[in-house]
Amino acid sequence: MQRPALKPSRGAAAIRQVRCYAGASAASELLAKAVGWAVIGGSCFRSMPQIVRIYKSKSVEGLSTMAFVNETVVCIVNMAYNLRHGYPFSSYGDAATCGVQNTVILGLMFRHGSISNRNKVLITVGLTAFAASLCFGVCSDALLAQLQASSVLLLALGGRLPQIWMNIKNGGSGELSMGSAALSVAGNLGRLFTTLTLVDDKLVLVASVSQLLLNAILLWQTAQTAWRKKQGTGPVYKAA
């Protein structure tokens, strides 16, 4: 006589569901880490089109000095905050590479722009002291968290919006590189994915979303400028 087939217990089904979830979670985490390292690799070249463009043209027309200074500050804050919390380097390493490239761009702006020697010293000393105070634990965890929260506004109001407004006022994006803007948007998309997967931190998530939106606007502006130049209707740019 054949024995009736045993029905799987609810407990066994629950265990299988947990195992499936754990496997999917591990796969997502592995993918996020791979994307994170890809973002870091790509970020090493994010500003190269901009650097090459300035080097060749010997001009920084249409570029906002304050925008690059504030973006560098945001990179420093993001790097220090993630370091302090022990998050995986793959989830924030692009902040370091972008900060270094911004420093190179600021150096080119010092050389080819109309920034006074006094302001050059103030910017250099200020950024160096700020980075040292954050990365070497001088500021408290509470203050660093506040800086991370405010970095969203700093990037918008002090970093991207001045450049966006300058582009609107000048009727174009000047020497701002469309290639760098496109790489920034691509990197922001990858960073958003890694943040959602690897980092359970709303402050980091809000920063990722805001950077994506603002960089998308800059990409659109540079694309519009390139199209106008191609049509022979490009604007005359003012000095930065």
Side-chain angles (χ1 to χ4, degrees):
M1 186 175 180
Q2 241 183 353
R3 292 184 181 180
L6 294 176
K7 294 183 179 179
S9 65
R10 292 183 180 179
I15 290 174
R16 282 198 297 272
Q17 286 180 353
V18 169
R19 286 177 179 172
C20 290
Y21 176 78
S25 178
S28 296
E29 185 174 338
L30 185 62
L31 177 61
K33 287 181 178 180
V35 171
W37 284 110
V39 169
I40 294 173
S43 69
C44 294
F45 305 97
R46 188 202 76 161
S47 295
M48 289 307 297
Q50 184 67 72
I51 292 171
V52 170
R53 181 164 182 161
I54 296 174
Y55 180 79
K56 286 183 176 180
S57 67
K58 311 296 182 186
S59 170
V60 292
E61 287 181 338
L63 271 65
S64 168
T65 304
M66 189 56 63
F68 281 96
V69 169
N70 285 323
E71 184 181 356
T72 305
V73 169
V74 170
C75 288
I76 294 170
V77 171
N78 287 343
M79 187 171 62
Y81 180 82
N82 282 276
L83 272 172
R84 186 78 62 90
H85 285 76
Y87 294 143
F89 184 76
S90 59
S91 68
Y92 69 89
D94 51 310
T97 58
C98 291
V100 171
Q101 290 172 87
N102 278 347
T103 303
V104 174
I105 291 174
L106 283 172
L108 290 171
M109 295 179 82
F110 285 178
R111 182 172 183 179
H112 300 297
S114 55
I115 305 171
S116 66
N117 289 331
R118 176 176 174 274
N119 286 338
K120 290 177 184 177
V121 172
L122 287 175
I123 291 172
T124 303
V125 173
L127 288 176
T128 303
F130 184 70
S133 65
L134 264 60
C135 293
F136 294 105
V138 176
C139 73
S140 65
D141 290 346
L143 177 58
L144 187 55
Q146 290 177 357
L147 288 172
Q148 175 65 19
S150 63
S151 68
V152 177
L153 285 176
L154 179 61
L155 181 67
L157 300 179
R160 291 292 181 261
L161 290 182
Q163 184 65 65
I164 291 171
W165 173 245
M166 179 178 282
N167 294 343
I168 294 173
K169 187 171 62 173
N170 292 349
S173 56
E175 293 299 324
L176 198 63
S177 169
M178 182 170 64
S180 289
L183 288 173
S184 293
V185 171
N188 291 149
L189 287 170
R191 182 55 62 218
L192 181 60
F193 173 69
T194 61
T195 300
L196 289 169
T197 306
L198 298 176
V199 180
D200 185 16
D201 194 314
K202 290 183 179 179
L203 291 179
V204 178
L205 177 60
V206 171
S208 298
V209 172
S210 64
Q211 288 178 29
L212 173 60
L213 294 176
L214 292 168
N215 283 326
I217 294 174
L218 286 176
L219 176 59
W220 179 79
Q221 289 182 324
T222 55
Q224 284 285 92
T225 299
W227 182 79
R228 288 176 185 172
K229 283 185 177 180
K230 190 175 181 180
Q231 298 297 317
T233 59
V236 177
Y237 301 107
K238 301 177 183 178

